Amino acid sequence: MKGFDILLTDLDEKLLNTAHAKGVKHVKRFDLLEEVSSPQAVFDVVVMKSVQHEFQPEKLKVIHKNIYDLLNKYGIFLEWDVHVESEGQASWLKKYINLKDSLAGDIHLVDNRHIYTSQQVIKNLIDTGFREIRIVYRFHYSISNNKFSEVYFRTASGEVDENKKEIFYQETMKLIQELPQGIRFTDDEKNHDLIFKIPAVIIKASK
């Protein structure tokens, strides 16, 4: 039985170097919007995890088309991301994530962010030419105010910016009043944290 080779790609050199240091043999900085023209039809499987929400619809169409071109005949694409169940969930989640990004000063992320429903992604894959498209796994992705604060709200000295953390908490409490059905919420009063479980899926498609 033959083995298989894995190529890990990302735009962040630091993440690629970390992966390589942990034993991933093949890593490459790869931009699916720009670098896919050559070579084509070289992969049996492409897995894309937690990427689509960073792209507006027109760019996502380009990415899906490029992935399609990268796959060998009968190749498989696995799309793994937070794809919600309704437009209401998408609208609320975008407000929540944009609040975090605005406080962190990442305005470019606010401008590019787009939350998709699973049906929107499936339609895009159909339009691209994929076949045998189906959701193979459903789960809930956990996000937390405190976790976001630890990663995104750091001062110049490396400490968590407690002022931004508290603003994030108070503004999120306001957003909870609009929380749509299907997004689970826990108020961890002991740790002054708000935890959400967001619908997510793995979608399988064949070339």
Side-chain angles (χ1 to χ4, degrees):
M1 180 178 178
K2 294 183 179 179
F4 54 87
D5 293 321
I6 295 175
L7 174 65
L8 176 67
T9 68
D10 202 285
L11 290 177
D12 191 323
E13 294 283 0
K14 183 183 292 186
L15 292 177
L16 292 174
N17 291 337
T18 299
H20 188 67
K22 290 185 176 181
V24 179
K25 186 176 180 180
H26 303 294
V27 299
K28 178 180 175 63
R29 188 182 186 282
F30 195 87
D31 189 339
L32 276 170
L33 288 170
E34 300 174 359
E35 299 177 11
V36 77
S37 58
S38 179
Q40 293 188 343
V42 292
F43 294 106
D44 295 317
V45 179
V46 172
V47 180
M48 186 164 70
K49 181 179 182 295
S50 302
V51 172
Q52 293 199 19
H53 61 273
E54 304 290 356
F55 296 100
Q56 290 291 320
E58 289 307 311
K59 288 187 176 181
L60 183 59
K61 290 179 181 179
V62 173
I63 289 172
H64 279 165
K65 175 61 167 62
N66 287 342
I67 289 173
Y68 185 89
D69 290 341
L70 279 170
L71 285 167
N72 291 319
K73 189 176 182 181
Y74 307 121
I76 293 172
F77 173 45
L78 293 174
E79 159 48 35
W80 176 348
D81 209 336
V82 172
H83 296 319
V84 293
E85 299 163 343
S86 68
E87 291 282 1
Q89 290 178 359
S91 176
W92 187 90
L93 183 57
K94 185 175 181 179
K95 289 179 183 178
Y96 174 72
I97 299 298
N98 282 354
L99 171 61
K100 177 265 295 180
D101 289 335
S102 296
L103 285 169
D106 294 327
I107 303 304
H108 66 289
L109 294 179
V110 174
D111 294 337
N112 291 324
R113 182 86 59 202
H114 192 94
I115 306 298
Y116 296 90
T117 68
S118 56
Q119 290 307 310
Q120 288 171 332
V121 175
I122 288 172
K123 181 181 184 305
N124 205 49
L125 292 171
I126 292 171
D127 292 344
T128 302
F130 283 99
R131 59 189 181 83
E132 299 177 357
I133 303 163
R134 63 191 179 96
I135 295 174
V136 295
Y137 190 64
R138 295 181 184 272
F139 61 103
H140 282 82
Y141 186 79
S142 294
I143 55 179
S144 144
N145 270 43
N146 283 359
K147 289 291 186 182
F148 274 151
S149 297
E150 290 168 7
V151 173
Y152 295 100
F153 305 153
R154 291 284 180 176
T155 65
S157 61
E159 301 297 321
V160 173
D161 188 322
E162 295 295 336
N163 182 52
K164 287 185 177 181
K165 181 180 177 180
E166 182 60 24
I167 292 172
F168 188 36
Y169 179 89
Q170 296 299 333
E171 292 300 316
T172 301
M173 287 296 292
K174 295 176 184 177
L175 279 178
I176 286 173
Q177 306 306 313
E178 309 170 15
L179 193 69
Q181 185 176 2
I183 295 180
R184 304 175 187 173
F185 155 67
T186 301
D187 186 353
D188 183 355
E189 295 182 4
K190 180 180 179 181
N191 295 303
H192 198 56
D193 194 12
L194 303 171
I195 304 166
F196 302 91
K197 291 188 177 295
I198 312 295
V201 297
I202 299 176
I203 299 173
K204 177 184 177 183
S206 300
K207 184 169 180 178

